[in-house]
Amino acid sequence: MVQEKDTTISITVEKKSEFYKLLKRKTYYEYNGSFFRVNKKIITVIIGLIIVGIRFIGIDRNYVYILFASLVATITNVYVSYYYKYIISSQDMRITNFYFINKFRVRNKYIKSTFLFLLSESCIDVIILAVSVIIAGRFEWVSLLVSAITFIIYTCALMICTSRMYNPMTADLDEIKDDLDTNLLKDYFEDYIIMGLPVIIISYWLAIYKLKGDIASFLFYISGYSCFLLAYIVLMKRMEDRKC
């Protein structure tokens, strides 16, 4: 909410940001019945049932652990790109976002609101898949550990993607007026090194388990990877604070 007093203009941020509410309303009215939103829920349930079904068809559940933990960061990146293209950078919001970010320096508030919005939109899907993995693993400690670490990886990947979502809004106004696509959201270092690393070496871990039958080394790897993501987020936050 913008309030004008004499010659000054200030923004009042309530407990629940107005921008958060705007994202929720826009998503509900324009995309609530869309193919993506409707089928995302159906696909999540189907995948969850398939994961649970592996305990009945004799597939080694450790392969599911490796696939589940290795793919979550990249899938999160794709998911965020969809919302960026169709909601955050949509034509009716682009200029408004640019104006507020550059005029009132509310980029950090936008990032926080967007993160909470995306978390509310996707958290249930990750929880469904995590519970499916736990059930498929017969509630053994490995399945519990993999699900917990995977949720941490998902949250970190969501933070990283959200923090760079408004970088194009610091560009020139003429560029903002042009169509923005998801290429502006790409960061090769983060895409291929930070979040793409698990997918790049997924075949290595599948081969290692096939040859040695040892899941402990993979658990150690994803634990270290989740710690690395947390450290990267803290480092990036400090660098952004210094710029401010």
Side-chain angles (χ1 to χ4, degrees):
M1 295 188 300
V2 181
Q3 296 179 336
E4 184 174 1
K5 297 179 180 180
D6 298 328
T7 58
T8 61
I9 298 178
S10 62
I11 289 184
T12 301
V13 180
E14 298 180 344
K15 292 182 179 180
K16 179 164 284 189
S17 171
E18 293 298 320
F19 188 67
Y20 174 90
K21 296 178 183 178
L22 174 63
L23 292 174
K24 295 289 286 187
R25 286 196 297 268
K26 182 176 178 63
T27 302
Y28 178 80
Y29 287 114
E30 295 190 23
Y31 298 98
N32 192 50
S34 68
F35 177 87
F36 174 79
R37 284 176 61 83
V38 173
N39 288 275
K40 178 171 70 72
K41 299 174 184 178
I42 297 175
I43 293 172
T44 300
V45 173
I46 292 175
I47 295 175
L49 292 175
I50 293 174
I51 292 174
V52 173
I54 69 169
R55 63 179 298 180
F56 301 107
I57 58 179
I59 297 177
D60 193 333
R61 54 189 177 274
N62 287 320
Y63 288 117
V64 177
Y65 300 157
I66 295 174
L67 291 172
F68 181 54
S70 298
L71 295 175
V72 65
T74 297
I75 293 175
T76 302
N77 191 19
V78 174
Y79 169 82
V80 172
S81 297
Y82 170 86
Y83 274 92
Y84 172 79
K85 183 177 181 180
Y86 292 102
I87 297 179
I88 305 301
S89 69
S90 59
Q91 186 66 40
D92 56 341
M93 293 184 66
R94 193 179 306 157
I95 303 301
T96 303
N97 292 344
F98 174 85
Y99 174 77
F100 275 96
I101 287 174
N102 288 275
K103 180 69 175 180
F104 301 107
R105 301 180 184 275
V106 292
R107 180 176 179 272
N108 289 337
K109 294 183 177 64
Y110 271 33
I111 291 174
K112 181 179 179 180
S113 296
T114 306
F115 170 76
L116 293 176
F117 162 72
L118 293 174
L119 187 67
S120 67
E121 286 287 305
S122 60
C123 183
I124 185 63
D125 299 311
V126 179
I127 291 175
I128 289 173
L129 295 177
V131 171
S132 300
V133 169
I134 293 174
I135 295 175
R138 300 179 176 88
F139 296 89
E140 63 181 4
W141 70 270
V142 176
S143 65
L144 295 172
L145 181 61
V146 168
S147 297
I149 294 175
T150 300
F151 195 84
I152 294 174
I153 294 173
Y154 148 75
T155 305
C156 291
L158 194 62
M159 287 182 180
I160 293 172
C161 293
T162 305
S163 66
R164 69 187 186 189
M165 188 174 284
Y166 295 98
N167 288 340
M169 296 302 170
T170 60
D172 187 80
L173 180 59
D174 292 332
E175 297 179 16
I176 298 298
K177 288 181 178 179
D178 296 331
D179 289 335
L180 294 176
D181 56 28
T182 53
N183 288 328
L184 291 175
L185 197 61
K186 292 184 181 298
D187 183 299
Y188 289 103
F189 177 73
E190 291 182 351
D191 288 342
Y192 295 105
I193 303 300
I194 302 300
M195 292 182 292
L197 182 63
V199 176
I200 294 173
I201 62 175
I202 188 173
S203 57
Y204 168 79
W205 287 111
L206 290 172
I208 287 294
Y209 180 73
K210 178 69 174 179
L211 294 173
K212 298 182 179 181
D214 179 23
I215 195 66
S217 57
F218 177 75
L219 295 177
F220 180 78
Y221 155 71
I222 60 171
S223 299
Y225 174 70
S226 62
C227 293
F228 171 72
L229 287 181
L230 290 170
Y232 180 77
I233 291 173
V234 172
L235 177 62
M236 295 304 297
K237 183 66 171 60
R238 289 185 177 179
M239 292 178 63
E240 289 182 0
D241 291 341
R242 288 182 180 179
K243 290 180 181 178
C244 296

